[in-house]
Structure formats: C-alpha cells, structure tokens
Amino acid sequence: MDLDHTAEEDAFRAEARAWLAAHVPAAPLPSLETAEGFAAHREWEAGLYAGRWSAVSWPERFGGRGADIFRWLAFEEEYWAAGAPGRVSQNGISLLAPTLFDHGTEEQRARVLPDMASGAVVWAQAWSEPEAGSDLASLRSRAVRTDGGWLLSGQKTWSSRAAFADRAFGIFRTDPAAPRPHQGLTYVMFDLRAPGVTVRPIGRLDGRPAFAELFLDEVFVPDEDVIGEPGQGWRIAMSTTGNERGLTLRSPGRFLAAADRLVRLWRERGEDRGARDRVADAVIGARAYQLFTYAGASRFAAGGEMGAESSLNKLFWSEYDIALHETALELLGAEGELAQSPDGWGEGYVFALAGPVYAGTNEIQRDIVAERLLGLPKGRPR
Amino acid sequence: MRFLPTAEQRDFTRSLDALLTASDTPSAVRSWSAGDHGPGRALWARLAGAGVFALAAPEAYDGMGRRPVELAMAYRELGRHAVPGPLVETAATTALLCHLADGGDPAPAKRLLPGLLTGERVVTLAVPDGEGGGYVLDPDGANVVLVATGAGGAEEARALHPGRRLASTPAPELRLAPGHGPLLASLDPARRLARPDPGGELLSTGPLLAEAIGCAVRWARLAAAAQAVGVAEELLRRTVAYVKQRTQFGVPIGSFQAVKHRLADTLLAVEFARPLVYGAALTLAPGDLAAAKATAGEAAYTAARTALQLHGAIGYTEELDLSLWLRKARPLRDTWGTPAACRAEVLAAYS
Ligand SMILES: Cc1cc2nc3c(=O)[nH]c(=O)nc-3n(C[C@H](O)[C@H](O)[C@H](O)COP(=O)(O)OP(=O)(O)OC[C@H]3O[C@@H](n4cnc5c(N)ncnc54)[C@H](O)[C@@H]3O)c2cc1C
C-alpha cells in the first residue's frame, strides 16, 4: 500500500500547474448560468482544448492526452487549486462521452468528441420528465420510426444548461408495447435548435436560468445519432450513471481547493471557535474523499470495476458540499446573505443545495447502497 | 500509486482473522470484564506469536521494523473481534520506547521491549497530562504500568493540549508506577480503569522523552482509529445480518426504507473513515492521524447507535454478544484524543 506518485505523474502535474498558472483568468468569469458567462466559459474551454487540457483522459486522436486515472486526478487537483473556472462542457464530458466510448461508433466519437471538448458544442442531458424523475423508466417521451431516422415528441425537464446549450442527449420510448417500462427505450442525440424543439428556461433558486424545459414536436433525428441498438436505451443509460454520481462529476480536487478556501476564510475571520469543528470537518472530509477516491482508482487501475460504490461517492460529496458552504456562510455572517458574497460562497451554496436532488436523489442512492452493497432485501419497487 | 493492501498484507490480516475467529474472543472479553485475565492473556500470547506487537518495534529488538500500515490493519482485526486489554497502550509504549532508543536512550527499550513483544509482559501506559484524563487502562491485567508526564517539546505539547497555550511545561518524566488506586468500572466493562500511584522508578527524562511522548500519542491515535474502524465494521455486519433475519409486519425489517437508509449512512461513515486511517498510517502526519482518529471514532459511535436501534430491545441486553462491541465504541472514540481535540489538531497542523 502506498500513496506514491511516479515520476511521470509528477511531471504531468508540473506541466499542468505551469500551464494553468499562465492561463487561468485572473478575475473569476461571470456565472456560467448567464448568457454572458456561458460565452466566456466557452472561450475558456476553447483555450483549454488548444492546450490539450480539456479532456486529458481521452485518447490523443480526440484531443486528449490518454492520461490514466491517476494523472487525471492529479490534473483535477491542479485545476481546482489554480482557481480555474467551472466546466460548461461537464454534462457532455461526464455523461455523453463515457457513453460514446462504451456504446458509440467510432464515427460518432470522431464527430462529437472534439467539438464537445472545445466547447464549440455544449451538451445538455435530457433524461428527466415532468412525470419521470426518480422513476425515470416511466418516461413517456417517444421516438417514432421515420425515413432515415426517428421523430421525437414529448416533454423533458430540468435539463441543466439547456437554456444556452447546443445539443442534447436523452432516452425515448420507441416500443410502447414493451412488457416492462425499462424495455423499448432508445438513446439518442438531438439538436436543440432543430425544428420542433422549444426550449423554455427555468429560473433556479437564485433566479438564473440554470436549467430548462424542452418541448419536442416531431423532432427529426437521423439514424447516425442513435447510440447503440434501438431498444437498449435503459441499459446504455444505466451503464453511465455511475460516472455522474462518481468521480468525473465531482473530483476530489474541487473539494480540496474548497476546504483550503474555507480554512483561509476561518483564519481571516479570527478563527471563530464556534465554527472550529465544522471547519476541521471540511478539511477532514476533503482528505477522506481524496483517499477514498485514490483507493477506488487503485482498484480500478488493478482491473476492478466502479460499481454501486459511486452511490456512496455521491452521498458523500453532496452532503459534504452543503456542510462546507453552510460553514462558510456562517463565517461570513451578514455578508453571507449577499448573492454576490465574497469568493462566490453564496452562489456555491445555492448550487450545493441541489446536490442531494440531481444525479439520482440521495434517497434512491441509499436504497442502492443498502441493496447492492449491504445485500438488504428489495422493498417497494423503484 | 497503489492505495490498496498488497497480497502479503491481505494474507496477514486473513490469518489474524482466522486466529481470532478460532479463539472465541467473546468469552475472553467476558472473563476479562470479570477480572479473570487468563483467557485474555492466552489470546494476547497468540497475538504476540502472530507478530501483532512487533509492528512498531525496530529489528534490533526483534521487532518487524516500523510498520504503521500493518499495525493499522492488525488493529482493525483486533477491533473486529473485540479483543480486550491495553492494546492501544501497547502500541503507544512501543513507539515511545523505540523513539527513545533511536535518539540515544536505549535502556528503557532494552528492559521492557523483549517481554512486551513476546506477549509475556503486558504493559499499560498513562499520559496523565493529556489523553485519558489521568486514568490508566487495565492496570490489574498488566505487568507493567508506565506513567509519562509533562511533555515539553512545543509540537508534543500541542499534540497533547490542542488549542491550549502552555505557559511553562515541566520536565517530562517516564516512570514505572509503584501501584495503582482502586479499579473503577468503565462504561465498557472490558475496560478497567485506575489512577496510577505517584512516584516510582524514573526511567527517562529530558527533551528526547518529550518527543517520544508525542510519538506515542500519534501511534496511539493510529491504533485507536484502526480499532474503531474494526468495531464499526463488526457492528454493521452483525446488524445487517440481524435485519435480514428479523421479521415484522410479515417481512424482514431490512426491507424497510428507514432501516436501509440508516444502514447505508453507517456504511458511508465506515467507508470514508477507513481510507483516512490507512492514509494516516502512510504519512504519520499529526493532522492526518488526528483526522483519522476523529472520523473513525465517530464512525464507530454511529455504528453503535445504529446497531442498538435496529436490534430493538435485544440490542439493549448484555447477554447478546453485540454488547461487547456496542460498549467499546464510545470509549474508543473519546480516549487518546476526543473528536474535538483531534479536530483542533487537524486545523493546527493545516498549512
Ligand atoms: C440543479 C438540478 C439539475 C438537474 N439537471 C438535470 C439534467 O441536466 N438533466 C436531467 O435529465 N435531469 C436533471 N435534473 C433532474 C433530476 O435528475 C431529478 O430532479 C431527480 O432525478 C429527482 O426527480 P424529481 O425531481 O422528479 O423528484 P421525485 O422523483 O418526484 O422525488 C421527490 C422526492 O421523493 C423522493 N422519492 C421518490 N421516489 C422515492 C422512493 N422510491 N423512495 C424514497 N424516496 C423517494 C425523492 O428522493 C425526493 O426526495 C436536475 C435537477 C436539479 C435539481
């Protein structure tokens, strides 16, 4: 057992650190949930891509560096420590890309991935529906066969960043007669500007149009934009939800950097004794998450799989993130109320509050942990 | 990086697990609680034979070299099997004696380590100025009661008194206690406490001893944290088994969501404590050790609360073996650095 980095990992980290030091914008970009901020983030991602830092774990032919999981983690630690902007391409990179690597064709990868990594095409996830949240398999939006492709109709909702994004990926019912709700679903990519698509932005708790509703009326999707076999959409979608709950959405680097900022805030504010334990818990939690991740990465590198552990992961970071931000707000006192609070704590707090809801609610994750990791009997159907 | 046990480490813990499973530790614990140390001492000798007490000692004293990772793994097994006795104190004593020996004061190690490593001699240790509130654990079951006082070095003083500024620190002393006061019952009957008598033979003093005491505290935290993880794991394992088998309203209680969610949260606490313990074993950094101790202690206590709740009334009985683990969790959490003391240490060490 060791925590040693190889010389190559150290060199990779040093190269990333130097590049980030030279390129990270001095002033934070405007919120990516605004039109102006969205454009600024796209530009940042184009620069990242030009330096080949946008998706380091991807093969070189798609603009990555073929980095293994340890180098990827090192990069993420450097990225967040450098105070670099949040990623506007995150949905694509953490959900669609792994799906394409596992189930897409080489043609699809070559067509989709570079533009995703450069921010030229920003992707939205269109899974949830008004009547299908936790019970996602009950979704009703459908895709009907037509010449050379499919026609999508129905309504999707809570689609993050769809207000400004270019394209979306989602699951649609192609066989309404299938005996079980999980069957007869198909995974497709579609254009948010195609005829028949209406995007209605929805204001988040802080009023920003961070997600949107999508109304689809016979939207044409060519066959080449279907991922995997028609009818296999559920299996394909489930094989990649682990990514959303697990590492790629919330790498430890982000929380290590956040804990650092919190300790700085605590020290600036005179080491408030009442908050001491919670500040310490933020430091401990970031370290625990980092080491938990290293253990998982070591297992993965040794040929193991990341399975239902990603639910533990998601439970941990979503609750950690809220506790961390609550502590910061408390230290800020009256300033904590300001939407433009120092160092972005206020916006971070509002964002953290959604953590236990998206990527599968924490109640559903606890069911998964109990049934798959502890082997408890299934209760009421999910 | 390979932040996973090696094949040898897995074999080591597996054989330890087999040894302990075969040893009927629950009855040894019950005897120990009743003041009969025979079965516990026999168990102690078998553990020594398996090398458990040699994991913090250098080879010059027939130890296995300093092996904090293996020590953490071994102590996790000791926790899983609820082994009684001054286990943490043994690790701390070993670290203290070795630190002295390395620094040029080998006499105490020469005198005490041989018997300690073979298990012939059980040594317990009190650090009255700091952890443990002046009580020594299991002096009646031990052959040697050591008392360390007045840690002097700045770092050690901080380790012992997190958050407190010390005006003047007395010269540190390591003494053989001449005896101990009356035995006091602990919340965990398998832990028997007393105050060591003052005075006794002086074994060491000086700045090196101050450092050695700091070192002892760090190893004690590692050992206690690892043991706490083991206790938590066993409490969870027993509770999961119980809720699968106990039925109410016609179904296993483990199919109820409220029950599942509480167990899922307990698993979460354990799964995120364990890497902290192994990480601390690898770095031996004071902040990492304190983080591991605080988190593992809380995980054990969470597991105990969950286990008690989900067993219902039977969980509240002393005849169920579960009680042997249940009652360990709280003392393990609070000795050798309460969670609050450890959290303060985490921030003090944070740069
Ligand atoms: C900020 C944010 C961003 C999002 N982004 C996206 C996106 O980009 N794309 C997308 O497709 N979706 C997105 N979502 C939607 C998200 O995936 C859903 O909100 C989530 O799956 C829960 O569905 P729901 O909101 O319909 O809640 P419901 O399923 O109605 O659940 C309501 C409550 O009931 C509980 N509940 C439901 N069923 C059970 C059960 N069996 N056992 C116990 N409790 C249960 C839930 O846990 C929850 O607490 C986003 C949501 C948020 C908040």
Side-chain angles (χ1 to χ4, degrees):
Chain A
M1 178 176 283
D2 67 64
L3 287 170
D4 302 336
H5 300 296
T6 63
E8 293 84 67
E9 282 158 15
D10 287 338
F12 184 83
R13 183 189 285 275
E15 191 189 344
R17 182 178 299 179
W19 189 91
L20 289 162
H23 291 84
V24 169
L29 302 183
S31 163
L32 62 78
E33 318 292 6
T34 61
E36 178 204 7
F38 205 84
H41 278 77
R42 267 196 211 256
E43 203 180 309
W44 160 251
E45 302 228 347
L48 260 188
Y49 182 67
R52 286 198 305 121
W53 295 108
S54 178
V56 295
S57 60
W58 292 3
E60 294 188 16
R61 66 182 185 282
F62 303 129
R65 290 173 179 250
D68 66 7
I69 190 161
F70 295 117
R71 280 185 294 158
W72 176 75
L73 284 166
F75 172 74
E76 285 282 309
E77 287 178 11
E78 293 303 323
Y79 187 88
W80 295 105
R87 299 291 304 273
V88 76
S89 306
Q90 179 172 279
N91 264 320
I93 288 177
S94 74
L95 282 166
L96 180 58
T99 308
L100 289 176
F101 282 121
D102 289 351
H103 304 280
T105 63
E106 189 62 16
E107 183 278 324
Q108 287 173 327
R109 290 177 206 135
R111 175 157 52 91
V112 170
L113 294 177
D115 283 347
M116 176 194 290
S118 71
V121 174
V122 176
W123 290 84
Q125 177 198 13
W127 287 18
S128 305
E129 297 184 3
E131 304 297 326
S134 300
D135 186 12
L136 181 62
S138 69
L139 63 87
R140 292 200 291 231
S141 294
R142 45 188 204 285
V144 177
R145 201 89 186 87
T146 185
D147 255 9
W150 301 78
L151 292 174
L152 311 181
S153 297
Q155 186 185 350
K156 296 285 182 179
T157 191
W158 316 128
S159 186
S160 289
R161 263 149 247 152
F164 307 112
D166 308 291
R167 290 174 65 81
F169 52 95
I171 9 183
F172 291 83
R173 194 162 296 286
T174 41
D175 180 6
R180 297 187 58 233
H182 304 77
Q183 293 164 359
L185 298 170
T186 298
Y187 202 128
V188 303
M189 303 182 275
F190 61 97
D191 195 334
L192 285 169
R193 313 233 167 77
V197 180
T198 308
V199 178
R200 190 184 76 83
I202 305 173
R204 191 169 67 168
L205 274 190
D206 62 2
R208 295 197 171 113
F211 37 37
E213 244 174 329
L214 311 176
F215 300 90
L216 308 169
D217 182 14
E218 307 218 315
V219 178
F220 178 73
V221 171
D223 281 326
E224 69 202 43
D225 280 345
V226 171
I227 304 175
E229 291 298 310
Q232 296 297 309
W234 184 257
R235 201 176 53 81
I236 294 169
M238 288 307 111
S239 79
T240 49
T241 51
N243 291 296
E244 183 173 22
R245 290 163 198 157
L247 286 187
T248 49
L249 189 59
R250 290 290 177 277
S251 70
R254 181 181 184 125
F255 296 124
L256 291 166
D260 230 45
R261 289 195 296 127
L262 186 69
V263 177
R264 258 188 279 130
L265 180 66
W266 181 66
R267 289 190 172 147
E268 278 161 29
R269 304 272 155 157
E271 309 204 344
D272 173 356
R273 283 188 65 85
R276 191 186 66 192
D277 283 359
R278 273 165 295 140
V279 174
D281 281 344
V283 170
I284 295 171
R287 178 72 172 158
Y289 189 54
Q290 180 190 34
L291 292 169
F292 179 85
T293 302
Y294 284 171
S298 300
R299 246 191 329 271
F300 187 68
E305 302 230 322
M306 296 209 195
E309 283 81 14
S310 65
S311 294
L312 281 176
N313 212 67
K314 198 256 162 169
L315 285 168
F316 188 86
W317 65 248
S318 59
E319 299 199 340
Y320 172 85
D321 207 16
I322 293 179
L324 174 102
H325 282 89
E326 284 173 345
T327 306
L329 290 197
E330 187 157 325
L331 290 172
L332 287 170
E335 281 167 275
E337 183 190 332
L338 302 176
Q340 297 294 325
S341 62
D343 225 5
W345 287 112
E347 186 177 2
Y349 165 70
V350 172
F351 181 61
L353 285 179
V357 175
Y358 65 81
T361 67
N362 283 8
E363 287 74 22
I364 300 294
Q365 302 318 304
R366 287 188 173 93
D367 283 347
I368 293 174
V369 167
E371 290 168 15
R372 304 218 198 123
L373 297 179
L374 295 176
L376 295 179
K378 270 196 168 287
R380 319 198 97 228
R382 267 191 280 109
Chain B
M1 178 187 302
R2 194 189 151 83
F3 190 49
L4 286 179
T6 61
E8 299 86 77
Q9 287 167 338
R10 267 203 304 274
D11 288 347
F12 172 60
T13 51
R14 218 175 283 140
S15 66
L16 208 51
D17 180 37
L19 181 158
L20 289 165
T21 305
S23 296
D24 187 15
T25 50
S27 74
V29 183
R30 291 185 188 282
S31 305
W32 192 276
S33 307
D36 170 9
H37 299 108
R41 289 291 292 253
L43 182 57
W44 202 270
R46 282 199 290 282
L47 291 172
V52 169
F53 302 130
L55 296 171
E59 280 149 27
Y61 295 91
D62 287 332
M64 315 225 302
R66 283 194 183 73
R67 297 192 177 213
V69 174
E70 281 79 0
L71 182 120
M73 291 172 173
Y75 272 69
R76 178 177 158 205
E77 293 303 321
L78 303 181
R80 286 186 51 231
H81 290 276
V83 174
L87 293 162
V88 173
E89 292 69 19
T90 297
T93 302
T94 310
L96 187 153
L97 296 175
C98 293
H99 195 94
L100 286 179
D102 285 351
D105 181 10
K110 279 200 178 123
R111 180 161 158 195
L112 295 171
L113 270 185
L116 182 152
L117 296 193
T118 58
E120 282 153 49
R121 232 193 245 155
V122 174
V123 182
T124 188
L125 168 71
V127 187
D129 300 349
E131 330 276 319
Y135 298 105
V136 64
L137 176 63
D138 292 329
D140 58 328
N143 308 84
V144 178
V145 177
L146 287 177
V147 181
T149 52
E155 189 199 337
E156 287 65 35
R158 213 183 50 204
L160 293 174
H161 304 276
R164 237 193 294 162
R165 204 174 302 255
L166 301 174
S168 71
T169 42
E173 292 183 342
L174 180 68
R175 289 181 183 274
L176 276 175
H180 60 83
L183 278 177
L184 303 165
S186 153
L187 291 175
D188 173 7
R191 292 170 61 89
R192 299 154 65 85
L193 304 170
R195 287 199 187 273
D197 290 339
E201 186 187 344
L202 182 69
L203 295 182
S204 181
T205 182
L208 177 63
L209 175 62
E211 276 177 31
I213 294 172
C215 178
V217 170
R218 291 198 286 276
W219 281 74
R221 285 185 175 169
L222 177 64
Q227 207 181 339
V229 165
V231 166
E233 287 177 319
E234 184 61 13
L235 284 164
L236 180 60
R237 189 189 69 78
R238 284 175 181 259
T239 309
V240 166
Y242 183 74
V243 303
K244 283 185 194 169
Q245 154 248 303
R246 169 74 171 168
T247 61
Q248 291 289 281
F249 306 100
V251 290
I253 57 174
S255 62
F256 297 128
Q257 208 171 39
V259 170
K260 280 182 183 170
H261 286 193
R262 188 144 185 185
L263 288 167
D265 283 338
T266 306
L267 181 68
L268 191 69
V270 177
E271 290 292 323
F272 282 85
R274 196 186 307 109
L276 280 175
V277 174
Y278 289 142
L282 285 167
T283 67
L284 288 179
D288 283 349
L289 290 161
K293 172 71 172 70
T295 310
E298 301 278 31
Y301 187 56
T302 300
R305 292 284 316 276
T306 300
L308 178 56
Q309 181 64 27
L310 299 187
H311 276 79
I314 197 166
Y316 200 72
T317 62
E318 78 171 327
E319 68 240 41
L320 192 71
D321 278 349
L322 185 77
S323 71
L324 307 180
W325 284 266
L326 270 184
R327 292 178 298 192
K328 240 176 216 355
R330 186 82 198 184
L332 262 182
R333 169 188 181 272
D334 292 343
T335 52
W336 294 103
T338 60
C342 288
R343 287 182 171 112
E345 172 67 17
V346 166
L347 289 177
Y350 195 85
S351 54

